[in-house]
Every structure is written in C-alpha cells, then in structure tokens.
Amino acid sequence: MTPGGKGELIWIVEDDKDIRDVTIELLEMEGYQVRAFGNGREALDGFQSGTPLPSVILLDLMMPIMDGWEFRRHQLAEPKLKDIPVVVATANGSSTYHSQAMANVDLVRKPIDVDELLATLAKHCAARA
Amino acid sequence: MDLLKPELKRGYDASCGPVSVLISEVSEILSQPSETLAGSGAQVVNWLERKFGGFAALWLPEGSLSLSRFIGSKAIPNSLRDELADTLSYRCPPEVAWPPKLQSFDFSEVAGLGALCGVPLLSRGRCFGVAFLGGEATSKSLTELQDLEAIAILLGPGLDALVQVEKMEGYKGRETRFRTLAEAMPQLVWTTKLDGSTDYANRRCLDYSGCTFGERSGDGWTQAIHAEDLPAMNACWASSISGGSVFEAEYRIRRHDGAYRWHLGRAVPVRSAEGAIQGWVGTATDIHDQKTSQEMNLFLAESSKALVSSLDFKLTLSTVARLSVPEFADWCAVDLFGPEGQIERLSVVHTDPSKVEWAYQLNELYPGKSISKYGAAEVGRTGAAFYLENVTDEVLREAAQNEAHLEHLRQLGLQSLMIVPLSARGRVLGALTFAFAESKRHYTRQDFEVAEELGRRAGIAMDNARLFEDAQGAIRVRDEFLSIASHELRTPLTSLSLNLQMLGRSLTREAPAHPILKAYLDRILAAGKQAKRLGGLVDMLFDVSRLVHGKLSVQPKPMDLTVLCQELALRFADEAQAVGSSIELIEKGDGKGVWDELRVEQALTNLLSNAIKYAPGKPIRLSISGDETTVILVVSDTGKGISESDQIRIFDRFERGSSRGKPSGMGLGLYIVRQIAEAHHGSVSLISRPEEGSTFTLTLPRGGL
C-alpha cells in the first residue's frame, strides 16, 4: 500500500461535488489535511482570504467560472503560489493539457488510480520536506 | 457482197421522176431547221414510200431516240428487229470506214422479211446507218436502187448532221435535266471546271450565301467558309483535284445572316468517255443539326465528367459554365437558390473578363429578385425551364426594373436566351442561364433540350454533393457526441472508481481483524477492476473521436523508452501470468529520445494487452532496440496469428481480427497505436502468419518532432 501523508495540506480544486467529497475523505484517511474549492476562482479567493498555502494543488481542468488553465496562469503570476507543485486530474487524456502554463505539472488521468495519485502526492511532499 | 436478186429488179416504177428532182425534194426535207432527227427521219421514210412504193425504213444505230434504232419501219415486225439489227451491225459496223465503192445489199437472208434492199448511209467516210426499201409487192429494180443510192449520198450527211444535232441535244438535254435536278435539290449544288473554279451554282447556293453568282464563282465561294475550317478543306480539295479522287469534307459555310452552319461537302469528278476529268460536280449538305448534336453530346459528356469530378458542386458548376462558353453560349451564369428563396450568383462566364465584371455589377444593381418572368428567379419559383429564340426589345422592356436597367439590358445585346432549373428530388436548387449575344446566334429546340438535360445532371450532382455534406455533418455530430459522451461519462466514473478504491482501501485495513470483510473486499476489488476497464473504454472512445479529426497532438519530452518498457513488463507480468503467459523483455540499445511518454505508453499498453488477450499461454516478447536516429519497439507473440485479409485493415477504426474468436473490445486499440506512431512521425507494422504468431513493430524517430 502506498505511503500516505504526514499531515501535509493539499488543495483540491474540483467542481464535481461527489469527486471532491470522496477525494477529501480519501486523502484525509491517508493522513493529509485537505482544503477543497469548487473552481479556480474559489481557490484564488481562498488564497486572498489567507487560507494556508498547500504542499500540493490537485487541480481539475474543466470547471465552471474559472477553469484549471486559467487558475494555473494566475498561480504562476502569483509569487507566493507559483512554486507550489500542481497535479492535474484530467478527463481528457494528454491532448488537453498542452499549453505553456501546463508545461510543468504532473498528470493523473481520470478515472483516478488512487495508488498513482497517492504516489504522486507523496513524491511532491517529500521533495518539499 | 451479193448484188440485188433478180426479183428485186422487177416492177420498176418510172414515175418517181428524174434523180435531180428527188435530190432537191430530199434536201428540202432535211433543211427544215426545227426538225428533230425523229421528225426528219419520219418525213424521209414517208417520202421514200411515196416515191418507191412498198415500205421504207432507216436504221440509225447512233441515233438515240428510237429504242430499236429503226425509224418508220412499221413493216418490219418487232420480233425481227433485233435480228436485223444484229445483221446490220455485223455488216456495217459503225465507225468503220465503208468500202470506197458504194455497195448496196439485200437482207432477204433475214428470215421472214421477204424482199428488202438497203443502201448504206455514209458520212464523213464512215457508215452510220442504212436506208431500206422493201415489200413483197414492190421488189425494187436496179434503177430504183441506183436512184436510192443517189439519194443516199445526200441523205447520209443530212441525217448524220441530225444525229449529231440530236447528240448535242441529248447533251443539252442531260445538261437541262441536271440543272433542273440541281435546282430542285435541297442541297447546295455546284460544278467546277477542271481547275476547281466554280462555273455553276444552284439557286439554293446563292440564296444561302446571299451572294450573286459573280461573287461566288471562281474561288469566291471559299470566302464563305469558316476560317477555322478553310485550311483543312483547301488541302482536301487540292488533293482531290490533283488525284481525281472523290472530295469529301466537313466545314462551316456562312449563311446570308452571318450564321455559320456545318455542311458535308462532296464532289465527284465528271469524266469524258475516255475517262479524262472534265470538271467536278459537288454538293454541300447541311449537317449542322447532326453535327451540333454530336457536339452537344460531347459537351454534355464533358460537363457530366466535370460534375462528377468533385463533390464541391460550386466548383463543378463553375466548370460547367466555363465549358459552355463560347460554343454553347456567349454568356453563361449559374445562380443558386437559398432555402429562403434568396439568389446567390455563383458564376458568370464570358470570353471577355471585363464584361463579366460588368455583369456582376449589373446583378448587384438589379438583383435577380425581379418580378420578371424572364429571370432565374422565375425558374426558381416555377421549376420550369424556358427559352426565347429571339430576345426582342419588348422582352427587355418587360424584364427591366426601370429605364436605366433597360438601357443596360439593351447594351448586353442579347439575341437568344435559355434558363433551366437545377433540380433534384422535387427541389429547385439553382438555375443555369445561357445566352447568345455578340455571336448573333439563336437557340433551337435541340439546344434547349441539351440545356435541360444539363440542368438535370447538374441538379443531381448538386444533390449528391449536398447529401454527402449532410452525411459528413452527421458523422461530425456523431463524433462530437462521442467526444462529449466520453467526457460526461468520465466524471461519474471517476467518482464511482474513487469510491470503490477508497472502500477497498478501508476494507483492506479492516479485513485482517474481520475475516467476513474479506469476501466484500474481493467483490469491491472486482467492481473496481470493471470500473477501471470501463474508464479505459471511455478513454478510447474519446481518443478516437479526437483522432478522426486529426486532433491527436503529442507533447514530446526527453525520456527513456527502456525505462518505460521495464515498467510495462513489470506492470503486465501479473496479467500475463493469469492467462499462463510470460513477458520477456529484451533490451538491445539506448532508449533515449523525445516522445510523449503517455502516448507511447498507451501504444505499448494496447499492443501488450492484445498479445495477452489473443495469445494466452504463449510467451510474449517485448524488445527495444535502435540505431542513432530511431528506436524500434517490438511486441511479438506466438499465438494464433492474424490472417492476411485481416492484416490489411486491422489498423483501421472499429476493426478487429475476424479469426480471433470472441470479439472483445471495440477494435480501436490498434487504430490508436497507428495514430500515436504517426503523430511521432513513426510507423507501426505487423508481420503475422496464422498459427505462428504476430509481431508488431513500432518504429519511432528519436529526435523529437
């Protein structure tokens, strides 16, 4: 079984409530702290209102109001956010994450393989530790 | 030659008087100017019978008026005439000089004639006939015969002259008959001298060309020949004249109104009795309608070819318009009707581009929505074609929207007009307009039929193109649906899968303490596996819907394929083992290069899954090798193999080897492999023999894209 977290904070930016809820539950079960947002805008608002910065951002791409690409552009433009690693959960295969902003993100494909997701998160947390 | 038999010397009748009187009487008869040979001959016969009694007759083999060549010989039975003529022909063959000494002879040897004596009729040193005297009751005396011989000296040249006149008359008669015939014939008829210069042309020739004979004679007629046809015709004519062969050529001749019509010209040499060519008699037959019908068929065939050459009907219709000018029209326009009845002028063709420009301006100034009954709009409304042989000013006034428009229409100089609908399955899709202007030609019923046929064919071509477009649209909609559906499916699948996985993880933790949970865990893991498989299928659908549109893009990054192969060999080890197979990895070189790792992984995954699926229990080999520029990945098995017919199509969409037992999957895997290979400028190939296994080779250039 893949190693879990050691209380690191993960931001989940995901518009689908079911996926969001089960991911929160899963990550919490695996020893992470989680803050969840329904879209990119909400995440940026959370940042503005002083939500603690995460170790990793788990980002969905296709979301209403502010999608993953736009969030990523804002993130890269914000000095306090730009170095936080991003794991993109995409439903669309490799073709949709092609863009300059998405050049340095990790990718997990939907439907998400939990082991793969946990391994990726652990890798980034370890790198930042 | 025997002289007269004794009985012929009997019964001399001296009443016929002195020879000098007889001679003057004969010359009187012969000198009547208006007499024909037949008429004069008959008078001579009557006169002889009066003077000598019995009966008289003339045999004139060169004369042509009497079939039997006998004149006044009622006493010679018809049944004997041929026999007598034969004897005479033998005895005094025409054109042979008669013996210098005048000889008379009797013909009693000809059975049934009784007494008959004759004297040769001589002229110009030859015998050209015989004068007879005969009759049972009036056998001729020597004196009578001598008188007759004396008369014959005069009678010979006199009758010869008449024979010559008759021949001349005959010639003139033939000439007259020829002229009469020539004038009555529906063709153009002419004769020429030996050198080919015209010396006669029938009335029709002159009427057709609107020339006088003076203008047309000599070689004046060649000026009416179409300039394009003249050189070939001249060559043909020259060759006929020099070689004496029959002349035959097709060429256009200008009519009095300036229109050129196709004719078939024929001329045969007129020869003398000796065979020398004396001149030519020729005819020219109007074959314009047949010829243009041939040309029309050719035009139709070419247009049809253009129509089926492409599904871009706007392009093909423009081509058809171009093909119609200048042979079939001076102007050709193509209008398309929109669903709301709006008219789009697709194309206007004229040999002069500046006129085309002008026509477009005109169309913009006075859009075709006019109420005119002579416009394309009307054809669009009624669906019926029409043609105007003559575009009169009245027509223009009716068509014009205002005075300025009328003036523009007049400037076009339209002579004749046809508009036919482009229709198919009861819908009028557009209209073709053909017009004659500068060339002063006029459309015929035949042209109209051709135009209608062209409209029908073009309509069908348009309809086909639209149906094709619709079908393409339907395919697009389907693929878009696939794309959206696969995306929409993935969200609940993700949720489902995450829940199952989370449940699985919880149960795994709890199971050692609660053995009953082990059974639930197995079920949940099985459900998770199916959810994952479902996710894979949805992925594929999505990939395919993108691939169809050539949207497969790759994100190449530096990577090591050897590492990837190691990971995959490890990952598939369990799956292979489950069906009794094994995966052997062979590394024979450097695997570094620039590729989209996820895509290459996807391709190898598809190949390995296939090998496990279709070659259960057999070893599977995954090898990586390469040279400086290329990496070669090979997945081979020793399974059932793929038949040759399947090999051809196995990389196509929704294809699956037919001999591979139960179908499973959607037949998209290898299609995706090929697309991925091609997106990397590489390739995938297959070598397979039934029952021996399959070898898939993925060749990928190292150097990025």
Side-chain angles (χ1 to χ4, degrees):
Chain A
M1 187 145 300
T2 330
K6 301 178 188 69
E8 294 93 339
L9 178 63
I10 311 288
W11 280 7
I12 298 174
V13 189
E14 164 68 62
D15 64 317
D16 186 276
K17 187 174 180 301
D18 280 350
I19 294 176
R20 206 164 59 223
D21 288 350
V22 71
T23 311
I24 293 168
E25 202 178 329
L26 176 79
L27 294 186
E28 285 180 349
M29 195 173 85
E30 294 296 328
Y32 291 99
Q33 293 184 59
V34 181
R35 286 302 301 271
F37 307 96
N39 59 60
R41 178 82 267 153
E42 284 182 19
L44 288 180
D45 288 348
F47 165 71
Q48 302 290 351
S49 59
T51 305
L53 297 180
S55 300
V56 182
I57 299 171
L58 182 58
L59 179 68
D60 185 27
L61 287 179
M62 314 249 300
M63 294 180 292
I65 303 170
M66 184 190 287
D67 63 24
W69 291 276
E70 199 182 341
F71 171 80
R72 177 70 177 157
R73 279 193 293 278
H74 284 283
Q75 185 215 347
L76 290 174
E78 170 53 55
K80 288 179 183 162
L81 291 178
K82 73 178 171 64
D83 292 326
I84 298 171
V86 168
V87 175
V88 164
T90 174
N92 290 348
S94 62
S95 54
T96 44
Y97 69 91
H98 290 164
S99 72
Q100 202 55 43
M102 295 297 173
N104 292 303
V105 301
D106 257 323
L107 185 81
V108 290
R109 296 241 268 174
K110 284 180 175 177
I112 294 167
D113 182 276
V114 171
D115 287 338
E116 187 191 351
L117 173 66
L118 291 174
T120 309
L121 292 178
K123 180 183 78 180
H124 287 297
C125 290
R128 287 176 69 84
Chain B
M1 174 146 319
D2 297 331
L3 277 180
L4 296 173
K5 288 190 172 178
E7 61 263 32
L8 279 175
K9 294 171 185 152
R10 288 183 316 213
Y12 174 70
D13 181 2
S15 66
C16 64
V19 167
S20 58
V21 175
L22 295 176
I23 286 174
S24 77
E25 283 182 33
V26 166
S27 60
E28 216 178 284
I29 294 167
L30 294 176
S31 64
Q32 289 174 14
S34 65
E35 275 301 343
T36 63
L37 177 63
S40 299
Q43 284 192 39
V44 169
V45 167
N46 286 337
W47 178 77
L48 286 170
E49 286 174 350
R50 263 202 327 275
K51 292 293 170 191
F52 295 94
F55 69 88
L58 298 171
W59 177 66
L60 299 169
E62 288 180 55
S64 61
L65 292 181
S66 164
L67 277 177
S68 65
R69 295 167 293 176
F70 286 96
I71 297 175
S73 53
K74 284 181 205 120
I76 303 174
N78 281 341
S79 56
L80 292 177
R81 289 187 180 195
D82 285 347
E83 195 185 351
L84 181 59
D86 283 347
T87 309
L88 288 166
S89 299
Y90 172 71
R91 286 210 153 173
C92 29
E95 308 296 331
V96 172
W98 196 251
K101 188 179 178 304
L102 185 65
Q103 291 185 48
S104 299
F105 42 88
D106 78 72
F107 292 93
S108 50
E109 63 191 274
V110 179
L113 274 185
L116 182 68
C117 69
V119 291
L121 296 169
L122 303 182
S123 175
R124 294 178 289 157
R126 83 206 202 288
C127 167
F128 69 95
V130 174
F132 299 97
L133 291 174
E136 294 285 345
T138 53
S139 290
K140 299 297 176 262
S141 67
L142 189 59
T143 318
E144 277 180 297
L145 203 58
Q146 283 169 345
D147 285 346
L148 186 58
E149 281 171 351
I151 293 164
I153 292 169
L154 183 64
L155 208 51
L159 287 173
D160 188 21
L162 280 175
V163 167
Q164 293 311 310
V165 167
E166 194 212 31
K167 278 186 181 173
M168 290 301 291
E169 292 288 347
Y171 176 74
K172 279 183 189 158
R174 276 201 301 282
E175 184 80 3
T176 309
R177 272 204 302 283
F178 167 73
R179 297 263 165 126
T180 311
L181 200 65
E183 293 299 333
M185 269 157 81
Q187 284 112 319
L188 313 184
V189 182
W190 37 269
T191 62
T192 76
K193 295 179 194 156
L194 189 56
D195 64 358
S197 61
T198 308
D199 57 2
Y200 163 75
N202 69 352
R203 170 54 48 193
R204 206 172 183 82
C205 262
L206 307 181
D207 287 349
Y208 177 86
S209 59
C211 299
T212 63
F213 179 71
E215 287 164 336
R216 210 195 168 285
S217 61
D219 61 0
W221 61 284
T222 58
Q223 292 180 8
I225 308 298
H226 197 288
E228 284 175 20
D229 308 329
L230 189 57
M233 196 220 65
N234 272 337
C236 186
W237 186 217
S239 139
S240 287
I241 289 179
S242 63
S245 57
V246 171
F247 162 81
E248 189 170 315
E250 289 180 6
Y251 43 85
R252 282 162 286 181
I253 308 177
R254 192 179 55 237
R255 200 165 57 186
H256 55 85
D257 61 357
Y260 280 92
R261 291 183 66 81
W262 280 102
H263 283 75
L264 170 67
R266 268 182 65 85
V268 292
V270 176
R271 293 172 189 275
S272 71
E274 291 76 29
I277 294 177
Q278 294 172 314
W280 295 76
V281 54
T283 56
T285 309
D286 189 322
I287 54 163
H288 192 77
D289 292 346
Q290 296 100 293
K291 182 90 176 166
T292 48
S293 142
Q294 277 170 20
E295 281 174 358
M296 288 301 105
N297 283 335
L298 200 68
F299 168 57
L300 265 182
E302 272 180 22
S303 300
S304 302
K305 211 163 90 187
L307 285 171
V308 298
S309 66
S310 160
L311 279 165
D312 181 349
F313 67 83
K314 293 193 174 179
L315 182 82
T316 56
L317 285 175
S318 302
T319 308
V320 168
R322 267 204 314 282
L323 285 174
S324 69
V325 175
E327 276 79 17
F328 196 60
D330 294 331
W331 287 96
C332 180
V334 184
D335 293 297
L336 299 182
F337 304 139
E340 312 296 325
Q342 71 274 28
I343 297 179
E344 177 199 349
R345 175 137 288 188
L346 177 67
S347 173
V348 175
V349 182
H350 188 278
T351 41
D352 181 354
S354 67
K355 290 207 166 186
V356 171
E357 190 55 39
W358 183 56
Y360 273 113
Q361 287 169 6
L362 202 62
N363 196 53
E364 269 171 39
L365 276 173
Y366 312 103
K369 267 188 172 171
S370 70
I371 47 161
S372 154
K373 66 175 181 185
Y374 302 114
E378 181 65 8
V379 169
R381 199 181 62 75
T382 63
F386 76 89
Y387 88 108
L388 291 172
E389 193 181 342
N390 291 298
V391 176
T392 58
D393 198 59
E394 196 179 319
V395 168
L396 295 184
R397 273 200 301 276
E398 207 169 324
Q401 295 173 9
N402 53 43
E403 275 304 312
H405 189 199
L406 177 61
E407 210 34 58
H408 281 128
L409 288 178
R410 282 176 178 151
Q411 283 168 23
L412 281 171
L414 295 178
Q415 300 288 319
S416 192
L417 179 72
M418 302 192 289
I419 305 184
V420 297
L422 300 167
S423 53
R425 292 185 296 143
R427 280 165 66 209
V428 183
L429 308 167
L432 283 174
T433 302
F434 302 97
F436 279 138
E438 298 82 358
S439 69
K440 308 279 182 204
R441 288 173 290 177
H442 294 267
Y443 288 114
T444 61
R445 164 72 36 194
Q446 190 192 11
D447 296 329
F448 183 52
E449 282 165 9
V450 169
E452 278 193 298
E453 179 59 25
L454 186 60
R456 271 191 292 277
R457 293 188 192 186
I460 290 166
M462 270 179 87
D463 194 43
N464 284 343
R466 289 196 173 179
L467 287 174
F468 181 76
E469 239 173 47
D470 291 351
Q472 290 297 96
I475 290 169
R476 240 182 342 264
V477 167
R478 185 200 68 189
D479 288 335
E480 273 163 22
F481 171 77
L482 279 180
S483 170
I484 292 164
S486 64
H487 185 264
E488 292 301 311
L489 283 171
R490 215 169 323 216
T491 301
L493 255 177
T494 299
S495 175
L496 175 68
S497 162
L498 277 174
N499 276 299
L500 285 170
Q501 288 181 78
M502 209 198 73
L503 212 49
R505 293 178 89 84
S506 308
L507 286 176
T508 308
R509 281 177 191 167
E510 305 297 328
H514 305 86
I516 181 92
L517 294 181
K518 176 72 173 71
Y520 295 155
L521 179 61
D522 288 348
R523 293 273 175 269
I524 286 181
L525 289 179
K529 215 169 153 188
Q530 290 306 313
K532 195 174 173 184
R533 190 163 159 236
L534 204 52
L537 292 174
V538 169
D539 276 352
M540 247 186 219
L541 264 185
F542 181 76
D543 279 342
V544 169
S545 68
R546 297 189 76 79
L547 291 175
V548 169
H549 296 106
K551 285 182 194 159
L552 180 83
S553 49
V554 286
Q555 176 89 342
K557 288 179 188 171
M559 63 167 291
D560 191 338
L561 280 178
T562 310
V563 175
L564 179 66
C565 287
Q566 287 163 352
E567 281 176 19
L568 287 170
L570 208 61
R571 197 190 302 170
F572 278 93
D574 289 351
E575 210 177 309
Q577 206 173 9
V579 296
S581 298
S582 61
I583 293 180
E584 184 191 356
L585 176 66
I586 300 163
E587 299 170 33
K588 286 188 290 191
D590 179 21
K592 291 194 182 67
V594 182
W595 301 286
D596 184 325
E597 183 163 1
L598 273 176
R599 285 301 184 186
V600 177
E601 181 187 330
Q602 193 183 2
L604 283 174
T605 300
N606 287 351
L607 291 177
L608 286 169
S609 303
N610 274 350
I612 291 168
K613 197 175 350 175
Y614 294 116
K618 311 276 180 161
I620 294 159
R621 197 172 277 188
L622 169 61
S623 81
I624 173 164
S625 60
D627 55 22
E628 277 179 22
T629 58
T630 314
V631 169
I632 295 166
L633 298 160
V634 178
V635 176
S636 60
D637 64 59
T638 53
K640 297 181 84 171
I642 298 162
S643 74
E644 237 172 83
S645 58
D646 285 343
Q647 287 179 31
I648 300 165
R649 55 188 182 86
I650 202 156
F651 290 105
D652 291 341
R653 208 155 46 127
F654 302 116
E655 290 294 352
R656 225 187 346 247
S658 55
S659 58
R660 291 180 150 205
K662 266 198 301 184
S664 145
M666 292 183 289
L668 296 173
L670 290 176
Y671 174 69
I672 291 171
V673 172
R674 192 183 77 186
Q675 299 300 320
I676 290 171
E678 287 172 1
H680 285 92
H681 297 194
S683 64
V684 61
S685 63
L686 163 65
I687 297 171
S688 180
R689 298 178 78 118
E691 306 307 325
E692 288 181 22
S694 306
T695 299
F696 288 90
T697 305
L698 189 58
T699 308
L700 299 172
R702 284 181 197 272
L705 299 171

